[in-house]
Amino acid sequence: MAAAGVAVVACCTYHMIRGRIAKNFSFAVRDSLINVGPIKDFSYGLRANADPNASGSAKQSNYELVCCSGHGKNGSLCVLQQSIRPELITEVELPGCKGIWTVYHKSTRSHSMDSSKTVVEDDEFHAYLIISLENRTMVLETADLLGEVTENVDYYVQGSTIAAGNLFGRRRVIQIYARGARILDGAYMTQEVSFGANSDSNATLDNPAVCSVSIADPYVLLRMTDGSIQLLIGDPETCTVSKNVPMISEKPVGLVSSCTLYHDKGPEPWLRKTSTDAWLSTGVSEAVVGSDGPLHDQGDIYCIICYESGTLEFYDVPGFKCVFTVDKFASGISHLVDACVRETTHNLQNVKEGDEQVKETVQNIKVMELSMHKWAGQHACPFLFAILTDGTVLCYHAYLYEGHENTRKTDGQFSTDIEVDVGSISTSRLRNLRFVRVFLESLTREESSGGKFSQRITVFKNIGGCQGLFLAGSRPAWFMICRERLRIHPQLCDGAIVAFTVLHNVNCNHGLIYVTSQGFLKICQLPSALNYDNYWPVQKIPLKGTPHQVTYFAEKNLYALIISVPILKPLKNVLSCLVDQEASQQLEHDNLSSEEMHRSYAVDEFEVRILEPEKSGGPWETRGVIHMQSYENALTVRMVSLFNTSTKENETLLAIGTAYVQGEDVAARGRILLFTMGKSNDNNQNWAVEVYSKELKGAISALASLQGHLLIASGPKIILHTWSGTELNGVAFFDAPLYVMSLNIVKNFILLGDIHKSIYFLSWKEQGAQLSLLAKDFGSLNCFATEFLIDGTTLSLVVSDDQKNIQIFYYAPKMVESWKGQKLLPRAEFHVGAHVTKFLRLQMLPTSVDRTVVSGADKPNRFALLFGTLDGSLGCIAPLEESTFRRLHMLQKKLVDAVPHLCGLNPRSFRQFQHNGKAHRPGPDNIVDCELLCHYEMLPLERQLEIAQLVGTTRSQILTNLNDLNLSTSFL
C-alpha cells in the first residue's frame, strides 16, 4: 500500500509589460491520491457496523486497522479495512434462491418529452425485483416497500428463471427461462418465444434448454445445454424479438463452453480504433428512436465465444463475421493477440509432445463464464473476465497496439518476432487489438463445485458512486474500476453469496441486494465514508496535527491518540522556560537583540486525544483531551490491565509515558500518568479522569502490563510496579543498555528492544520478585520494532532494524551454539525494503489443512504478525507447516529464473540481509517471499504444470497452499 502525493497543475499566463514578459502563476488542485504513509503506529479495533454474531472468517470483517499517518497539518488517522462489510438496511429469510434481477419500467415514455425533463438513466428507480427459486419465480415491486405481485403479473412463475433484463431502451422487460422467453411491458406480456418443439416439462432431451444468457440491447445471446448458441434479435419499432441460430464458424471448432455479448457504446466505439475500416463496422450504428422512448445508445455489439477446445473468438453482431481469434485462451497467457498475426517461432505455450499428463490437464480446464465491459471514463478501455472450471478467474485489459505496418513484435510472455502479411488479413479484423493480463488476488479463486452452472459475474455502473463488477460464489469479491485500474476488495462477512443485483429505489439509493448460501436476502448500501481507490478501502480522519501513537480501549470503543501540534512562540518565552535559569540569563545577554528575542520559534505541544468512532461512518468525535505540560513530549500511550492489590480486582487504565525536552545540559525526566476511561457519573464531559501521576528519572519510552503489574521503561532501566489503587510500587528492575524502544509480553516472558543493542529476552518470576535475563542477541542492531511470533508451542522473537531488515530469533539453551543459553539463535532473516515501525500479533484463521489436523473445536495456536512501514505499506509474517514451507521454498527457487522481473531486478539478492558493512554472519534461509510466489498464478497453464513437476508436486497442491495462506491471514 504505497504512499501517494497530491497532483497539482500549474496554469501559467504571460503578459507583456514594457517589453518584458511577466509570468502569472495560478495553481489549482486537479486531482489527489490517498496517502496512508508514513505509518508510525496502528491499532486493531471494532468497526461501527460490526456483527456481534459473526464467527470464523466472517468475524474478521468486524475489525479495522486505525493507523497514525502523515505529518503536521496533513496528519490524520487512516482507517483501513481489507474486506467490505455493506451497511445493512433490512434482511429476510429466503431459502432455495438461485438468482435475483432488478428491471426498469416506465408506464409512459413520451418521445416528445423535453430532453431536460428526461430522467437521467442513473437516477431512474427500478420497478420490479425478480427472484428465481428452485421450482418457481417470485416477482416483487420495488416501490417504497418491496411487495409481492407474483399473482398479478404475466411473468413466467411456474419454474425458475435463467435471466432477466431490459430491452429497447428500458421500454420492455425480457425474462428467459429454460424452455422459452417472455417480453413484458411492465406487468403485461406482449410476446412469448419457445425454444424447442414444445415448452412442456415433459419435453424430450432432444430439445436443448437454455443454460446461460447475455443481454446487450437489442440482442439476447443464449447458450444451450447441447453446446450451441441462439440469438434473439430485437426490433425497436415493434418491440418484439425473433429467434436466430447464427453460423458462428466456417470450420468446426467444437462445442461452446461459454459466451457473452459486448456492447461497445458511444458515438466513437473503442474497438473500431483497432480496425482499419471503422466506417464498415456493423451493429447498432445509428440512434434508435422508439415511439415512446428516448434515444438508444449508439455503438457496436460483439459476440465473444469460447469453445471447449480453448479457442476464443470475437464476432460482429448480427453478421457473425469473425474479427478476432485467440488460441489456448484458457491457458491464461500474458497477452492476447489475434491469431491472424502469424508467429514465426514457437514458444513455450505449446504443449510438449509426449507429455500426456500435462496435455490431459490442459484439455480438462475450460472457460465456464465470460464477461466483457467498458466502464465510463475519459480514457476507458474494456476489461475481459473469464472463470475457469478449476475456479481460476482470468482478467485482461484491452489496449490499442500501435506498431509498424509490416513488422511487429509481440508484447507477450515470450518475445518472438511476428510477421504480418497485411494483404492476407481482412480489413474488418481487429488486428491492432491487444489484451494484457491483470493480476488478481488469489482470494477470488474457488474450487469448482462440480454442480450446475451458476452465473457469478454481475456488472454494475453505480453502487454508492462506484462502478465495476461483483463476483459471487464461496469467496465473493468486489472488482472496482478506479482510474482505469482494478481494485479488488473481498467480502467475507456473509460467507458464500449465491445471487447479487443492484437496487435503486426511494429507500435504497444506489444500493444492492444479495442472497447468502444460508438463505438470507439482504438489502444493503456500500459504506459512503470509505475511499475504494486503494489496495484496501480507507477512510481518513483529519487531525490537523502529527499523530505518534494510538491505542484502543475495547470496552468503551474509544481510541487514545498522541498528537503534536507546532505552536509559534517568541524566543524569549522559549528561553525562560528552561530549567537552568543561569543558562537562560546568559543567553539573554549574549549578543541577542530585542528583535531576535521576539522572533517566533516553532515548538511542538503534545496532547493525548480521546476519540470515539462515529456510528454512521462520519467524522470521529473528540471525547476528551489530556494536555501535556510545556516542553513535555508524550512518548507512549497504552491500555494496561493492572491488579489492584487493595480491591483484589483487575482495572483497565490508560497509561501515558512522557519526557521533558529541555536540552542536553538538563538531566532527563519523565512522567507516568494513569487515567480511567469512559463517562464520569459526575460530569458527562469528562471522559478521562487522572488517578495517578508521578515524575521519574529518565524518559518513559515504553509501557506494558505483565500479569497485573505495570512494566515501565524509564531511561536505560525497566522497572516492574504493583498497583494499590493510589500508588505504584516498584518490585523489580532490570538495567537495559541504552534506551528501550519497545516492550512485548507473552505470559511471563518479556521482549525488550534497545535503540542500538538489539534485543533482550527476559522472564519474570513472582517467587522472589525477579526480572532475570534469559538470553540476548550479541550483535549490534538499531531496533525499530519487536514482537513475539507464536507457532503452536514454538516461541520466536522478531525484530526490525534501521537497514529495513526483519530478523527472527529463538531461544534454545540446550544447543551448543547458544553459549549455554546466553545467546539468541537466528531462525530467519529477510530484507523488507522499508522501515518497519510496528508489529501486531493476530491469531491466524484455520485453513483446510488445519481442519484435517486439528480435531473438534480446538483452534490452532498459530499467530501471524501484521506490520506497518514508514513508506505506507502493510505486510504480514506468518508461520508455515514444514511440508508446505519446503514445497513453496522449492517453487520460489524455480520462479527466480522462470518469471521475468521488473527492470531485471533479482529478488534473491534483494531479499538478502542488508548489514551496511557491519560484521554479520548470514542466517538460515527460512522465509518464502509471497510477492514472488504470487507470480506463479500469472504464468501460462502449461508453464505452471511444468514447474510443478520440476518441484515434485502438482499445480492444484501449490494453489491450495497459496489460497490457504491468503485465507488464514484475512484479518480485516
Side-chain angles (χ1 to χ4, degrees):
M1 194 172 294
V6 176
V8 180
V9 177
C11 303
C12 179
T13 58
Y14 296 87
H15 298 283
M16 294 294 294
I17 302 178
R18 293 184 181 178
R20 59 196 181 97
I21 298 176
K23 299 178 182 179
N24 291 332
F25 291 94
S26 60
F27 294 92
V29 177
R30 298 299 186 193
D31 199 2
S32 63
L33 303 174
I34 288 287
N35 175 23
V36 297
I39 297 177
K40 301 173 185 175
D41 189 30
F42 57 76
S43 191
Y44 189 67
L46 208 62
R47 296 190 193 184
N49 61 346
D51 179 11
N53 300 319
S55 60
S57 60
K59 187 177 181 180
Q60 298 306 310
S61 61
N62 278 345
Y63 299 95
E64 60 192 9
L65 210 61
V66 178
C67 308
C68 295
S69 302
H71 184 83
K73 64 183 177 63
N74 295 317
S76 65
L77 282 181
C78 284
V79 183
L80 297 166
Q81 302 174 359
Q82 185 180 8
S83 63
I84 291 178
R85 176 181 282 276
E87 293 176 347
L88 183 66
I89 296 176
T90 185
E91 69 173 314
V92 293
E93 195 167 355
L94 187 70
C97 180
K98 298 297 181 185
I100 51 176
W101 302 267
T102 46
V103 292
Y104 299 94
H105 174 256
K106 281 287 186 182
S107 56
T108 56
R109 287 180 186 266
S110 173
H111 170 52
S112 60
M113 283 176 63
D114 189 88
S115 59
S116 63
K117 296 179 182 177
T118 304
V119 178
V120 181
E121 274 196 3
D122 249 9
D123 295 330
E124 185 178 345
F125 289 155
H126 287 105
Y128 295 101
L129 169 64
I130 302 163
I131 302 174
S132 176
L133 304 175
E134 290 181 356
N135 299 313
R136 64 189 182 96
T137 295
M138 291 173 59
V139 182
L140 286 76
E141 274 188 331
T142 56
D144 296 350
L145 299 173
L146 291 180
E148 186 174 355
V149 292
T150 306
E151 302 298 327
N152 306 324
V153 293
D154 291 340
Y155 282 81
Y156 174 75
V157 297
Q158 292 79 25
S160 59
T161 298
I162 304 295
N166 283 101
L167 288 179
F168 315 122
R170 298 182 177 177
R171 288 178 290 154
R172 295 290 185 270
V173 175
I174 183 166
Q175 179 198 18
I176 295 136
Y177 48 97
R179 299 288 176 183
R182 291 188 180 185
I183 307 295
L184 300 107
D185 185 0
Y188 304 103
M189 182 174 66
T190 60
Q191 185 187 3
E192 184 168 18
V193 181
S194 297
F195 309 131
N198 54 55
S199 56
D200 297 340
S201 58
N202 299 324
T204 61
L205 295 175
D206 295 336
N207 300 321
V210 178
C211 186
S212 67
V213 180
S214 178
I215 301 173
D217 194 7
Y219 299 100
V220 180
L221 182 66
L222 312 172
R223 184 170 69 88
M224 315 304 286
T225 51
D226 63 350
S228 64
I229 65 169
Q230 294 188 20
L231 185 70
L232 300 182
I233 303 175
D235 182 358
E237 294 295 331
T238 61
C239 291
T240 58
V241 298
S242 58
K243 190 168 60 173
N244 180 34
V245 179
M247 298 296 294
I248 57 175
S249 183
E250 298 174 358
K251 55 183 180 179
V253 183
L255 300 177
V256 175
S257 65
S258 60
C259 58
T260 187
L261 290 176
Y262 167 61
H263 192 171
D264 200 15
K265 295 183 179 180
E268 296 181 1
W270 188 86
L271 283 183
R272 287 189 193 177
K273 302 173 187 176
T274 65
S275 174
T276 55
D277 62 339
W279 59 89
L280 294 176
S281 293
T282 57
V284 184
S285 57
E286 297 179 357
V288 179
V289 183
S291 59
D292 58 349
L295 295 179
H296 188 278
D297 285 338
Q298 297 181 2
D300 303 330
I301 293 180
Y302 296 88
C303 175
I304 305 167
I305 296 175
C306 191
Y307 299 94
E308 291 190 352
S309 62
T311 301
L312 180 78
E313 293 187 338
F314 285 37
Y315 297 90
D316 61 5
V317 176
F320 270 86
K321 182 178 180 181
C322 185
V323 294
F324 189 81
T325 305
V326 176
D327 295 324
K328 296 180 183 175
F329 170 70
S331 295
I333 52 181
S334 65
H335 287 71
L336 304 182
V337 185
D338 188 9
C340 285
V341 180
R342 296 192 303 274
E343 297 187 17
T344 58
T345 59
H346 296 284
N347 54 40
L348 288 172
Q349 293 164 15
N350 295 323
V351 182
K352 293 182 179 179
E353 290 296 328
D355 200 341
E356 296 298 331
Q357 185 179 355
V358 172
K359 190 179 293 184
E360 184 181 353
T361 306
V362 172
Q363 289 173 351
N364 289 337
I365 295 180
K366 299 175 178 59
V367 177
M368 292 176 58
E369 188 175 352
L370 276 173
S371 181
M372 184 169 172
H373 196 79
K374 180 168 73 73
W375 285 271
Q378 189 176 359
H379 306 289
C381 298
F383 283 88
L384 175 64
F385 297 90
I387 301 177
L388 307 184
T389 49
D390 68 342
T392 303
V393 181
L394 302 178
C395 174
Y396 288 91
H397 197 191
Y399 67 96
L400 178 64
Y401 178 71
E402 298 176 356
H404 301 293
E405 280 297 321
N406 297 322
T407 306
R408 302 173 187 270
K409 278 205 168 186
T410 183
D411 335 271
Q413 176 76 26
F414 309 92
S415 294
T416 57
D417 291 333
I418 291 179
E419 295 178 356
V420 179
D421 184 359
V422 180
S424 65
I425 298 179
S426 169
T427 53
S428 63
R429 292 194 71 91
L430 308 176
R431 62 178 185 178
N432 292 330
L433 175 61
R434 299 288 190 274
F435 289 89
V436 61
R437 190 173 169 191
V438 179
F439 172 73
L440 302 181
E441 295 284 346
S442 59
L443 270 175
T444 60
R445 187 181 182 276
E446 66 175 26
E447 294 300 327
S448 178
S449 60
K452 193 176 179 181
F453 169 81
S454 60
Q455 185 176 338
R456 291 182 60 193
I457 296 175
T458 304
V459 173
F460 60 87
K461 298 177 184 176
N462 186 356
I463 296 183
C466 300
Q467 58 180 4
L469 67 85
F470 184 83
L471 186 71
S474 61
R475 297 174 189 172
W478 294 78
F479 289 60
M480 295 184 177
I481 309 297
C482 307
R483 307 169 190 271
E484 278 303 286
R485 188 171 184 175
L486 204 60
R487 299 294 194 183
I488 303 170
H489 305 307
Q491 180 174 321
L492 309 174
C493 58
D494 292 291
I497 291 177
V498 296
F500 176 95
T501 191
V502 297
L503 175 66
H504 180 44
N505 69 357
V506 176
N507 298 318
C508 183
N509 195 345
H510 293 297
L512 57 125
I513 305 178
Y514 61 87
V515 182
T516 67
S517 58
Q518 288 83 22
F520 288 94
L521 182 144
K522 299 191 176 186
I523 302 177
C524 307
Q525 287 181 309
L526 277 181
S528 58
L530 295 174
N531 185 310
Y532 298 97
D533 186 11
N534 213 322
Y535 287 101
W536 288 1
V538 58
Q539 177 189 3
K540 297 202 78 170
I541 312 296
L543 299 171
K544 301 187 185 301
T546 304
H548 297 275
Q549 211 172 79
V550 63
T551 188
Y552 178 61
F553 184 31
E555 292 177 24
K556 304 290 185 181
N557 194 31
L558 297 172
Y559 289 89
L561 174 69
I562 296 177
I563 298 175
S564 64
V565 180
I567 303 295
L568 292 176
K569 291 185 177 182
L571 184 58
K572 65 174 185 178
N573 290 3
V574 175
L575 296 174
S576 65
C577 289
L578 290 174
V579 174
D580 194 344
Q581 294 295 327
E582 292 181 5
S584 172
Q585 292 170 6
Q586 182 70 29
L587 284 168
E588 226 173 288
H589 301 289
D590 221 10
N591 300 325
L592 290 176
S593 64
S594 59
E595 182 182 347
E596 289 175 322
M597 290 297 291
H598 286 86
R599 187 176 295 166
S600 295
Y601 184 76
V603 177
D604 281 338
E605 289 199 351
F606 281 75
E607 64 186 34
V608 174
R609 203 174 291 176
I610 313 298
L611 299 175
E612 183 179 27
E614 181 64 32
K615 296 294 182 185
S616 61
W620 289 17
E621 293 290 332
T622 301
R623 296 303 184 190
V625 179
I626 304 168
H627 295 282
M628 299 296 108
Q629 297 176 2
S630 295
Y631 303 97
E632 182 183 29
N633 290 9
L635 299 183
T636 182
V637 59
R638 289 288 178 255
M639 297 303 306
V640 293
S641 179
L642 304 182
F643 180 74
N644 191 324
T645 55
S646 301
T647 62
K648 306 299 181 183
E649 293 179 351
N650 286 321
E651 294 182 14
T652 302
L653 301 174
L654 176 68
I656 302 172
T658 74
Y660 289 99
V661 180
Q662 295 172 311
E664 61 184 12
D665 297 327
V666 181
R669 299 177 298 128
R671 280 198 306 162
I672 175 69
L673 304 168
L674 296 179
F675 292 82
T676 57
M677 296 274 284
K679 283 185 180 179
S680 170
N681 294 329
D682 302 329
N683 185 2
N684 287 335
Q685 301 298 319
N686 201 353
W687 285 68
V689 179
E690 182 179 314
V691 294
Y692 182 77
S693 173
K694 185 179 181 181
E695 189 173 301
L696 300 173
K697 291 182 180 179
I700 312 299
S701 57
L703 297 166
S705 56
L706 171 62
Q707 295 182 342
H709 301 71
L710 181 61
L711 190 62
I712 301 175
S714 177
K717 182 178 289 189
I718 62 170
I719 308 171
L720 193 69
H721 297 79
T722 58
W723 171 242
S724 66
T726 55
E727 282 293 329
L728 285 174
N729 302 305
V731 293
F733 73 92
F734 176 79
D735 287 318
L738 296 171
Y739 180 84
V740 178
M741 292 289 292
S742 60
L743 289 172
N744 306 102
I745 309 294
V746 165
K747 293 185 177 179
N748 64 322
F749 297 112
I750 304 165
L751 173 58
L752 179 155
D754 188 81
I755 191 168
H756 289 308
K757 295 296 182 180
S758 195
I759 58 173
Y760 286 68
F761 185 42
L762 315 175
S763 72
W764 155 248
K765 295 178 182 177
E766 195 142 9
Q767 281 186 337
Q770 288 184 346
L771 279 175
S772 54
L773 175 66
L774 296 177
K776 66 177 182 176
D777 174 29
F778 283 84
S780 176
L781 197 72
N782 301 337
C783 291
F784 264 54
T786 58
E787 187 54 274
F788 286 106
L789 182 62
I790 301 170
D791 182 16
T793 57
T794 305
L795 185 67
S796 301
L797 296 79
V798 183
V799 58
S800 65
D801 62 28
D802 64 331
Q803 296 300 313
K804 306 178 182 180
N805 304 306
I806 286 179
Q807 282 181 278
I808 303 177
F809 295 91
Y810 68 104
Y811 176 58
K814 294 183 180 179
M815 295 189 69
V816 178
E817 299 92 333
S818 69
W819 302 348
K820 296 183 180 179
Q822 298 179 65
K823 181 181 178 183
L824 291 170
L825 300 179
R827 190 185 294 278
E829 58 187 24
F830 189 77
H831 181 65
V832 178
H835 290 111
V836 177
T837 54
K838 167 81 173 184
F839 290 106
L840 178 66
R841 187 172 68 248
L842 298 170
Q843 186 161 20
M844 296 174 68
L845 301 173
T847 63
S848 57
V849 176
D850 298 323
R851 283 190 284 269
T852 56
V853 174
V854 181
S855 60
D858 298 332
K859 290 183 73 176
N861 187 32
R862 174 171 286 182
F863 290 78
L865 297 184
L866 191 68
F867 63 81
T869 69
L870 287 181
D871 68 0
S873 58
L874 291 167
C876 183
I877 300 175
L880 287 173
E881 294 283 346
E882 180 72 21
S883 58
T884 303
F885 168 77
R886 293 188 182 279
R887 185 180 300 115
L888 296 181
H889 195 256
M890 284 289 293
L891 175 65
Q892 178 177 276
K893 289 181 178 179
K894 298 295 180 185
L895 290 179
V896 170
D897 300 321
V899 173
H901 305 296
L902 289 175
C903 306
L905 300 175
N906 191 302
R908 183 183 294 164
S909 59
F910 176 73
R911 295 305 185 186
Q912 288 180 352
F913 187 88
Q914 306 295 312
H915 48 80
N916 196 25
K918 295 180 182 178
H920 175 75
R921 185 177 180 181
D925 183 16
N926 284 339
I927 290 187
V928 291
D929 181 7
C930 282
E931 281 194 24
L932 177 59
L933 294 178
C934 69
H935 287 284
Y936 178 76
E937 293 183 75
M938 290 294 288
L939 294 174
L941 177 59
E942 294 82 2
R943 191 74 173 122
Q944 291 183 35
L945 294 167
E946 181 187 340
I947 291 176
Q949 282 186 341
L950 293 174
V951 173
T953 183
T954 62
R955 171 179 176 268
S956 61
Q957 182 64 62
I958 291 172
L959 294 179
T960 298
N961 290 149
L962 294 176
N963 287 341
D964 285 347
L965 187 58
N966 242 322
L967 289 171
S968 63
T969 54
S970 300
F971 299 121
L972 301 163

